[in-house]
């Protein structure tokens, strides 16, 4: 593991520990924990399911959450409170851990997301998932992973680049791409840290061909799912959101673009995960409202 990846894991963990201190499971959420969805790593390939208690046996629209963490950090525990807050808004939420770099290389997270989607389709009856209304959210590196997977689902040329097959009958109704990394450019001096992480994440440490494959914008077509694209005034990845919006516009993909914060309220990267704040509530309400537009 590189020094940078080790540093990311330590610093991100400290910040997440502080953010989630004293948080507990809400009484109005029912949860099923530590369900194994893969066979390659039974510690990493696990998921939780959260549902609002009042829904009982009602089939609910599903949100699959793809956590962030620079491709080298994170797990479902770090996203449990955020995901349960989404469940409180009327969704069945699948919160999963995926295999991280440097222990596992690209495309391990995409393979794991595909396994989770298969699991959702297979276990729909057990957990009362409405498989006609499947949404997904991802932030930072998770938005990159989800953005690529949406491309695999809708772009046959890109899908040929991978060994796995999208589950039969599976389709993303819409996606939320939050504070995401959509392009990785060797010529961009502001991406030095990301390029360093690529040395741990990519099998060949970041060749032009690998970076092309990792560029979400390359694979967007006019059948890409509708997108809620979110960033913040002080998000270091804000320029990437603008590039994504330009590509969605070019391909006439339905989208909503929101920038949260202002001169006084300098919101930063992935602020929406700190669910104790009013800003996170407003953002997550807006994203879920966007999803509800596709539920009827």
């Amino acid at each position: 593991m590189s020094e940078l990846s080790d540093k990311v894991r330590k610093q991100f963990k400290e910040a997440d520990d502080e953010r989630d201190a004293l948080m507990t499971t809400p009484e109005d959420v029912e949860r099923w924990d530590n369900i194994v969805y893969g066979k390659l790593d039974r510690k990493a390939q696990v998921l939780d399911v959260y549902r609002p208690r009042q829904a009982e046996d009602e089939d609910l629209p599903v949100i699959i959450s793809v956590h962030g963490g620079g491709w080298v950090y994170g797990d479902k525990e770090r996203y449990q409170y955020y995901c349960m807050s989404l469940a409180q808004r009327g969704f069945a939420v699948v919160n999963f851990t995926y295999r991280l770099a440097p222990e596992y290389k690209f495309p391990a997270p995409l393979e794991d997301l595909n396994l989770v989607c298969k699991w959702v389709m297979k276990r729909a009856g057990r957990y009362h998932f409405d498989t006609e209304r499947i949404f997904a959210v991802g932030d930072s590196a998770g938005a990159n992973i989800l953005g690529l997977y949406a491309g695999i689902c809708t772009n046959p040329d890109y899908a040929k680049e991978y060994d796995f097959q999208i589950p039969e009958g599976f389709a993303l109704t819409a996606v939320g791409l939050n504070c995401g990394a959509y392009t990785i450019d060797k010529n961009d001096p502001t991406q030095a840290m990301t390029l360093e992480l690529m040395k741990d994440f990519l099998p060949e440490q970041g060749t032009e061909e690998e970076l092309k494959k990792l560029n979400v914008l390359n694979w967007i077509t006019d059948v890409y799912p509708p997108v809620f694209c979110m960033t913040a005034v002080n998000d270091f990845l804000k320029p990437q959101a603008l590039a994504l919006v330009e590509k969605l516009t070019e391909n006439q993909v339905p989208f909503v673009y929101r920038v949260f914060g202002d001169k006084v309220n300098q919101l930063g990267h992935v602020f929406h995960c700190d669910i104790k704040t009013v800003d996170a509530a407003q953002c997550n309400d807006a994203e879920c409202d966007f999803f509800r537009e596709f539920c009827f």
Side-chain angles (χ1 to χ4, degrees):
M1 182 189 303
S2 69
E3 182 178 341
L4 177 59
S5 291
D6 184 60
K7 183 179 179 180
V8 164
R9 288 184 176 183
K10 290 177 180 177
Q11 291 186 346
F12 284 20
K13 181 181 185 302
E14 289 176 2
D16 287 348
D17 285 345
E18 181 179 357
R19 181 195 67 200
D20 294 342
L22 305 179
M23 296 286 288
T24 58
T25 298
E27 292 184 0
D28 58 350
V29 172
E30 189 172 13
R31 61 184 295 169
W32 294 262
D33 295 342
N34 300 318
I35 302 165
V36 177
Y37 68 83
K39 299 178 180 178
L40 293 177
D41 188 327
R42 296 177 68 86
K43 290 184 178 180
Q45 293 174 316
V46 289
L47 60 81
D48 298 346
V49 176
Y50 315 128
R51 286 176 51 95
R53 286 190 182 277
Q54 70 271 20
E56 296 183 345
D57 294 339
E58 177 187 353
D59 287 351
L60 294 179
V62 183
I63 297 177
I64 300 170
S65 172
V66 188
H67 70 74
W71 302 274
V72 300
Y73 166 82
D75 54 38
K76 62 185 179 63
E77 277 64 43
R78 301 298 169 179
Y79 276 66
Q80 61 179 315
Y81 302 112
Y82 162 67
C83 286
M84 284 189 285
S85 77
L86 299 181
Q88 289 177 305
R89 290 170 166 85
F91 295 84
V93 181
V94 179
N95 172 28
F96 75 102
T97 299
Y98 54 83
R99 291 170 295 154
L100 298 171
E103 291 83 1
Y104 295 96
K105 304 294 186 182
F106 176 84
L110 286 168
E111 294 169 346
D112 289 355
L113 175 52
N114 193 60
L115 287 173
V116 169
C117 295
K118 285 185 177 181
W119 184 91
V120 166
M121 298 300 288
K122 187 174 182 180
R123 297 289 187 269
R126 167 67 178 86
Y127 296 98
H128 299 284
F129 298 145
D130 181 351
T131 57
E132 295 298 315
R133 299 180 293 174
I134 297 179
F135 306 95
V137 294
D139 60 73
S140 199
N144 173 265
I145 295 163
L146 174 56
L148 294 176
Y149 190 72
I152 293 169
C153 290
T154 54
N155 187 330
D157 290 336
Y158 187 47
K160 291 176 184 177
E161 299 285 331
Y162 297 91
D163 294 332
F164 57 81
Q165 302 294 318
I166 300 300
E168 184 177 353
F170 178 87
L172 288 165
T173 305
V175 297
L177 300 178
N178 303 317
C179 301
Y182 309 116
T183 65
I184 300 164
D185 185 356
K186 281 186 173 182
N187 299 315
D188 184 351
T190 68
Q191 296 193 32
M193 189 175 83
T194 300
L195 288 165
E196 190 66 23
L197 290 171
M198 291 299 102
K199 294 178 181 178
D200 275 350
F201 181 49
L202 297 173
E204 297 180 29
Q205 300 191 324
T207 64
E208 291 292 344
E209 188 61 30
E210 285 179 321
L211 296 183
K212 176 184 176 182
K213 201 171 180 179
L214 219 61
N215 186 333
V216 173
L217 308 188
N218 286 340
W219 316 112
I220 293 175
T221 67
D222 60 357
V223 291
Y224 200 79
V227 177
F228 184 94
C229 175
M230 181 277 284
T231 185
V233 292
N234 203 28
D235 176 16
F236 70 94
L237 290 176
K238 182 181 175 183
Q240 300 230 4
L242 292 169
L244 174 64
V245 165
E246 183 178 345
K247 194 68 174 182
L248 295 172
T249 302
E250 178 185 322
N251 285 276
Q252 300 183 337
V253 176
F255 70 89
V256 166
Y257 175 52
R258 293 289 303 273
V259 182
F260 288 85
D262 53 37
K263 290 181 180 179
V264 176
N265 188 18
Q266 290 280 314
L267 294 176
H269 191 60
V270 300
F271 72 93
H272 68 298
C273 290
D274 187 358
I275 63 166
K276 297 187 293 293
T277 68
V278 172
D279 297 303
Q282 291 176 344
C283 174
N284 297 331
D285 281 344
E287 192 155 64
C288 288
D289 286 345
F290 176 76
F291 289 162
R292 288 191 190 95
E293 293 179 12
F294 300 91
C295 287
F296 304 101

